[in-house]
Amino acid sequence: MPKDTFYNLPEEKRQTIYEAALDEFSIHPFKQASINRVVEAAGIAKGSFYQYFQDKKDLYKFLVEEIFQKKIAYLTPEMQNPFNMDCFSLIRELFRSGVRFAKDNPKLAKIAQHLMSNSEKDTYLEIMEEKKGEGIQIYKMILEKGMEKGDVRGDINLDIAAFFLFQLSNSLSDGFMDMFHQGDEAQLMERVEDMIEILKYGISNNRLESENE
Amino acid sequence: MPKDTFYNLPEEKRQTIYEAALDEFSIHPFKQASINRVVEAAGIAKGSFYQYFQDKKDLYKFLVEEIFQKKIAYLTPEMQNPFNMDCFSLIRELFRSGVRFAKDNPKLAKIAQHLMSNSEKDTYLEIMEEKKGEGIQIYKMILEKGMEKGDVRGDINLDIAAFFLFQLSNSLSDGFMDMFHQGDEAQLMERVEDMIEILKYGISNNRLESENE
Amino acid sequence: MPKDTFYNLPEEKRQTIYEAALDEFSIHPFKQASINRVVEAAGIAKGSFYQYFQDKKDLYKFLVEEIFQKKIAYLTPEMQNPFNMDCFSLIRELFRSGVRFAKDNPKLAKIAQHLMSNSEKDTYLEIMEEKKGEGIQIYKMILEKGMEKGDVRGDINLDIAAFFLFQLSNSLSDGFMDMFHQGDEAQLMERVEDMIEILKYGISNNRLESENE
Amino acid sequence: MPKDTFYNLPEEKRQTIYEAALDEFSIHPFKQASINRVVEAAGIAKGSFYQYFQDKKDLYKFLVEEIFQKKIAYLTPEMQNPFNMDCFSLIRELFRSGVRFAKDNPKLAKIAQHLMSNSEKDTYLEIMEEKKGEGIQIYKMILEKGMEKGDVRGDINLDIAAFFLFQLSNSLSDGFMDMFHQGDEAQLMERVEDMIEILKYGISNNRLESENE
DNA sequence: GATGAATGAGTGTTCATTCAT
DNA sequence: TATGAATGAACACTCATTCAT
């Protein structure tokens, strides 16, 4: 929701501001991010900033919107009709696109992480009220479809499973990349496979029927 | 590491300060937590605070130490010798104790969550240097033992599985409780069972051997 | 090194701030000087100060720089080529310019004195690193030249003599002026002559050769 | 002027406090010296301090008094009747005793220096009001006597010469020792001789009569 | 539309001193 | 006599935002 003035800016200047903001908000969570530093890094006047954006939160919303837009762009074409896909393929693709996004846009990914980290819960709620239902609900829907199709076991707790998936997908950007060879996309994708594998079949060595009581 | 003066305080006053601190640090991550607000809430002079604690970080460390102490108290007695236990029972107990802790000490649990949220990574590192090895490593060890005993499949990626467990256990306190009927311990424990179930056997409806390529 | 914002200020306001700073730092050595008092005396907001200067040290450096600039302006034209001059004439001119500077800029002179007082040694070093070699070394060079030319006795300890001169020149501004009729420049200059006289011929009534053992 | 309670203290405790105070005040000038640090270093209660001393200034006065007492103890016996001595011998002895004092009591010497540095002028005046006339006046008297006896030239400005001597003697402790091989007393004493030499005969290579106009 | 000076409340921290016990 | 908890003003510095030009 930047003001028109921002969009009327010459492309180059707009970009400069955008990147200064990216730098600041990817390093600091919302409250600690400093508009002072942003305007200094961007080389614009303090007053100018407030002509482009309502306030600090307005800038933040703008960045978050960018995250959403860009993240969607990383979805593969076949995901346009997600429910034609096999459930696990869909999850795999979501995870893979998440990894690719984080790899190509590490700063945006950091911002996303701060936002999700619920140290920012109040900021999050204020900003996300219009985006309600995002997040866990999507995974629940996917799993429900999978269950209907018979891909997913009928006896699991869907909420828990969706919670599972949500937690994992949120962790993909930062901790995951830090930990698992962040430079090499091929390796990261193998780790995604490992994840899916565990998700599908669990980690127990025993079959379900012989163990389940 | 509060100063002696803090421990010499009359129980009641110490408690007041402790709770003011709890309130502040459970709502705000370290950097945003305000000593000003703490002293105002506690009804003490600014100078007094600094007679009890070295500085802001000192207070924080104290709270974190409380978390560790209390969390340990929630471990069941049979977990004193953890490696005599079945791997999944151990994980189950860790999760259950985590839930019980979070239910009884929701503010401490929030603080723990902030600390783990890696928006606070630098604060975390500074404070945790002496507690190295905590975290993911523990889960990896558990899984390794489980693999040796034959409880855990030999073909999974241990790092990923440990990462899995770590993410889940961190999520137990806050999101988990918000989502799953936080008032009712029995229900929460059932959700833990659901989690373990999924963790063990996965969510796929198909057996491993027929699916694996 | 004030920021541009300081130099962009209307002359009058800049002057007000400058004088408030002068007052504060001429009365108190660096560590004890209070930015709070400066801004109050200058009638500006605390935040404004930090828009003009990086920090307290930045203001201090600015004042010190003023001292250097102004002090140079008090050197007489013939001192542009100092080593064409007779050694004692040079010293005399240095002392005289020091006195004139202190008379016209008593507050700057006080600041200079604090800076030299080596109660401030650490502050001094931090600020003066770029101005290395100032101070005693200059006097040593002057004396060396004088010795080469035969104006200065060959048997004196140059380091001690330079130390002598340095101490005296530092003392010119404050103690000296307090003591010797500070209002009357002519009288002060006579005292400088007295000083040079003693410096040249000593205070003993006896000749060197009959006394020296 | 410490209170009786201080003198009633067991020797050892009194000494501990004295040394803690020495450490603090030799490092920091009066205003920056911290009673907090002193009591902590001395291991006594905050309240106790104020039972031994009126306030911070009282402690300071005590230390300054120590300086005077100790400095007198460094005067050689023949200086008990100073005016029987040759004027230059007297000055030499004063300087030598100053150097010995600074070498044996470096912390007291530092305190003296802070006190003299006239960054502390207000503190100085408050504390020294009862000691008026110390300092320069002594040197003036010595020089007057020397002039009467014919040791000192009759045509010099006594005030300036006394000022000279005063500046030099104040510089002996710190700058002097830093600069001139502070460890080796013999060397330091040679430097004192160099000083006296210059003081007596000046640094000019020419005789007085041929140069004087 | 662009500017950047102005603001005052906020931050964590230190201080000398008092006083009830 | 010894204690040490209590205090509140002071410190340097940062902040998001406003507004006259």
Side-chain angles (χ1 to χ4, degrees), chain A residues 179-180, chain B residues 133-142 158-159 162-164 166-167:
Chain A
M179 202 158 316
F180 300 106
Chain B
E134 301 274 347
I136 289 191
Q137 292 314 314
I138 280 193
Y139 285 106
K140 191 166 176 191
M141 282 166 56
I142 293 173
L158 272 188
D159 288 313
F163 180 73
F164 234 83
F166 181 68
Q167 292 296 334

Side-chain angles (χ1 to χ4, degrees), chain A residues 4 6 8 10-11 17 29 48 61 64 67 72 76 121 126 130 135 146 158 160 173 183 188 190 192-193 198 202 207:
Chain A
D4 288 345
F6 180 65
N8 295 339
E11 165 65 15
I17 296 171
S48 298
K61 282 183 190 168
V64 171
I67 293 173
I72 285 172
T76 47
K121 197 181 268 175
E126 232 177 312
E130 60 257 20
L158 273 188
I160 288 289
S173 45
L188 283 172
E190 281 182 41
V192 169
E193 289 312 307
I198 291 174
R207 305 283 167 68

Side-chain angles (χ1 to χ4, degrees), chain C residues 7 18 22 60-72 101 108:
Chain C
Y7 292 110
Y18 175 65
L22 220 43
Y60 194 51
K61 281 185 189 168
F62 170 64
L63 296 177
V64 170
E65 194 53 42
E66 283 286 305
I67 294 173
F68 275 88
Q69 300 302 338
K70 283 234 171 108
K71 237 181 176 167
I72 285 174
F101 168 79
L108 284 178

Side-chain angles (χ1 to χ4, degrees), chain B residues 5 8-9 13 45 47-48 51-52:
Chain B
T5 51
N8 295 340
L9 246 31
K13 189 168 193 178
S48 297
Q51 258 180 330
Y52 309 145

Side-chain angles (χ1 to χ4, degrees), chain A residues 29 31-32 88 113-114 117-121 136 143 150-153 156-157 159-161 163-164 167-168 171 174-176 178-180 191 194-195 197-209 211-212, chain B residues 29 31-32 88 110 113-114 117-119 121 136 143 150-153 156-157 159-161 163-164 167-168 171 174-176 178-180 191 194-195 197-209 211-212:
Chain A
K31 280 272 181 62
Q32 279 149 248
F88 291 112
Q113 236 198 341
H114 285 146
S117 82
N118 98 342
S119 306
E120 301 277 272
K121 197 181 268 175
I136 289 192
L143 290 169
D151 297 332
V152 171
R153 288 203 276 143
I156 65 168
N157 182 323
D159 288 314
I160 288 289
F163 180 74
F164 236 82
Q167 292 297 332
L168 289 177
S171 74
D174 197 63
F176 188 78
D178 281 2
M179 202 158 316
F180 300 106
R191 296 295 83 68
D194 295 338
M195 236 172 181
E197 237 265 336
I198 291 174
L199 191 67
K200 284 172 85 170
Y201 307 115
I203 63 175
S204 168
N205 202 23
N206 305 305
R207 305 283 167 68
L208 186 54
E209 57 273 297
E211 168 81 7
N212 213 0
Chain B
K31 280 270 183 64
Q32 284 155 38
F88 292 111
K110 291 248 188 223
Q113 238 195 342
H114 285 146
S117 82
N118 98 344
S119 306
K121 199 180 269 177
I136 289 191
L143 290 171
D151 298 331
V152 172
R153 289 202 274 143
I156 65 167
N157 181 324
D159 288 313
I160 288 288
F163 180 73
F164 234 83
Q167 292 296 334
L168 288 177
S171 74
D174 198 61
F176 188 78
D178 282 1
M179 203 157 316
F180 301 106
R191 296 294 83 68
D194 295 339
M195 233 173 186
E197 238 264 335
I198 291 174
L199 191 67
K200 284 171 85 171
Y201 308 113
I203 62 176
S204 168
N205 201 23
N206 305 306
R207 305 284 166 68
L208 186 52
E209 59 276 294
E211 169 81 6
N212 213 1

